[in-house]
Amino acid sequence: MQSQVKINVDESFRNSYMGVGGVLHDHARIWVEGFVNSIPNGDYVKVELLAIKEGLSATWNYGFWDVVCETDDREACNDILCHETNRGRVHLRVGVVNNICALLRRN
């Protein structure tokens, strides 16, 4: 049985530069992997959503399925959690939210 892992993700802005990063650690809080990536454009919520997507992708790529994702952005969480009920609502972040939801449906 595989143990639970946790990812902590965040976005970063400085002048016109944006980026995402995060860390993945196991149930014993031992660091497994980290990731960083630059983002060409977007608002702060979209960039946080991209950080979540990158973090989930990293955990799946390492074969972890029992994942806790920690973020400090409530609006990003709401975009993901309300995705199913707001299917008709189109917004600028719908593409990345769709990608996250597809990752969450993986088995």
Side-chain angles (χ1 to χ4, degrees):
M1 178 180 211
Q2 191 169 28
S3 60
Q4 189 176 71
V5 294
K6 182 176 181 182
I7 51 174
N8 295 84
V9 299
D10 208 357
E11 95 289 326
S12 177
F13 287 90
R14 182 172 180 188
N15 299 325
S16 62
Y17 298 101
M18 294 174 272
V20 298
V23 295
L24 165 65
H25 47 90
D26 67 14
H27 66 285
R29 297 183 183 180
I30 296 173
W31 182 84
V32 175
E33 187 65 40
F35 64 92
V36 295
N37 201 353
S38 61
I39 305 298
N41 58 32
D43 61 74
Y44 75 95
V45 178
K46 182 178 180 181
V47 178
E48 185 75 21
L49 287 164
L50 288 167
I52 293 168
K53 183 182 90 55
E54 292 284 327
L56 290 173
S57 293
T59 60
W60 268 254
N61 289 340
Y62 280 96
F64 295 107
W65 303 102
D66 189 3
V67 180
V68 172
C69 179
E70 186 174 289
T71 178
D72 62 357
D73 192 317
R74 183 174 297 212
E75 191 172 346
C77 290
N78 287 338
D79 278 359
I80 297 165
L81 295 172
C82 297
H83 176 67
E84 292 300 317
T85 57
N86 293 331
R87 284 198 158 197
R89 187 177 139 233
V90 177
H91 56 77
L92 297 175
R93 302 181 292 265
V94 70
V96 68
V97 172
N98 285 338
N99 290 336
I100 291 168
C101 290
L103 285 167
L104 293 173
R105 286 190 297 268
R106 287 174 116 180
N107 295 1

